[in-house]
Amino acid sequence: DAGVTQSPTHLIKTRGQQVTLRCSPKSGHDTVSWYQQALGQGPQFIFQYYEEEERQRGNFPDRFSGHQFPNYSSELNVNALLLGDSALYLCASSLTGGQNTEAFFGQGTRLTVV
Amino acid sequence: AQSVTQLGSHVSVSEGALVLLRCNYSSSVPPYLFWYVQYPNQGLQLLLKYTTGATLVKGINGFEAEFKKSETSFHLTKPSAHMSDAAEYFCAVSEGIGFQKLVFGTGTRLLVSP
């Protein structure tokens, strides 16, 4: 059973560019959350997708947007990249409605903005 | 708003010694509490979780944590440290498993010396 997979694993972009990160949830999961982990910090919640809609959002600007597809996979898009967007981006999947569920995390995408 | 405070950005122990990583939380509703471990260049792996019921929770790799509501704490312990325990540990709080929005602490790096 494949867990949460993210692509690419590493990415280097230039300031002002746009980037798309991808996530495939664990089999059987229907909810995808995205987190940003800056160096030396804990992960910060960006947003969560369920039933192809953004259900919750953290304190991130509109430059950060996302999408969820019918197969539950998800994309995170960041426009007008800033140096401060350099971080490890983590995707987590879970099952909404289950009482004994947990979030499973992918390995992350390391984004470097130069 | 929920928050997590992890006391000590770095904790050093000798192999075989007791491991104690501290976590205090703030939540306006009954919290769900988690400990995650992160190895270098990896995603997050769930060690254990507290939802309801028994306040002493046992997890993987010999770790356990006790939920103390009166102290708003959820400290992580392991009786005997192994070299393989060296990693970053994150405490997190959630308003409920169903929505899985996790609020993380800043992390504690555990160093284990021979």
Side-chain angles (χ1 to χ4, degrees):
Chain A
D1 173 27
V4 180
T5 58
Q6 293 186 241
S7 63
T9 55
H10 295 81
L11 203 52
I12 300 175
K13 289 286 188 178
T14 303
R15 276 180 301 173
Q17 285 188 317
Q18 178 264 344
V19 68
T20 297
L21 311 181
R22 296 176 175 82
C23 172
S24 292
K26 180 178 171 62
S27 177
H29 284 183
D30 59 8
T31 303
V32 173
S33 302
W34 287 93
Y35 292 81
Q36 180 195 65
Q37 186 180 15
L39 198 61
Q41 300 294 317
Q44 298 287 319
F45 177 76
I46 303 175
F47 43 53
Q48 182 181 84
Y49 277 84
Y50 171 66
E51 292 188 337
E52 302 181 49
E53 292 190 358
E54 183 182 290
R55 179 162 67 178
Q56 284 186 296
R57 189 178 182 91
N59 188 26
F60 279 80
D62 292 344
R63 299 187 296 109
F64 290 77
S65 63
H67 188 76
Q68 186 179 35
F69 300 93
N71 67 352
Y72 308 121
S73 66
S74 176
E75 288 182 349
L76 164 65
N77 301 292
V78 186
N79 295 322
L81 284 166
L82 304 174
L83 294 179
D85 295 331
S86 295
L88 180 67
Y89 288 84
L90 296 165
C91 169
S93 74
S94 56
L95 178 63
T96 290
Q99 284 301 305
N100 192 29
T101 188
E102 65 184 66
F104 287 79
F105 283 81
Q107 302 272 60
T109 294
R110 173 75 62 186
L111 173 64
T112 302
V113 183
V114 297
Chain B
Q2 297 179 308
S3 66
V4 170
T5 301
Q6 291 184 241
L7 295 176
S9 59
H10 292 78
V11 170
S12 294
V13 300
S14 299
E15 193 173 20
L18 171 70
V19 175
L20 171 61
L21 305 183
R22 300 179 185 274
C23 172
N24 289 88
Y25 69 90
S26 173
S27 179
S28 58
V29 299
Y32 288 11
L33 295 159
F34 306 81
W35 275 99
Y36 284 87
V37 62
Q38 186 176 38
Y39 297 98
N41 300 314
Q42 300 282 317
L44 301 175
Q45 181 184 11
L46 181 68
L47 281 176
L48 49 79
K49 62 183 178 184
Y50 168 79
T51 55
T52 59
T55 57
L56 182 61
V57 180
K58 295 186 183 299
I60 63 172
N61 301 339
F63 285 94
E64 63 182 35
E66 186 171 9
F67 170 62
K68 293 186 176 181
K69 183 178 178 180
S70 61
E71 299 177 8
T72 61
S73 69
F74 191 58
H75 301 331
L76 181 71
T77 61
K78 182 174 180 178
S80 177
H82 294 164
M83 296 294 291
S84 60
D85 294 328
E88 188 88 19
Y89 292 80
F90 293 95
C91 181
V93 63
S94 171
E95 289 184 356
I97 281 188
F99 285 94
Q100 284 292 320
K101 173 188 172 183
L102 295 165
V103 176
F104 286 88
T106 52
T108 296
R109 181 165 299 277
L110 177 64
L111 306 170
V112 183
S113 57

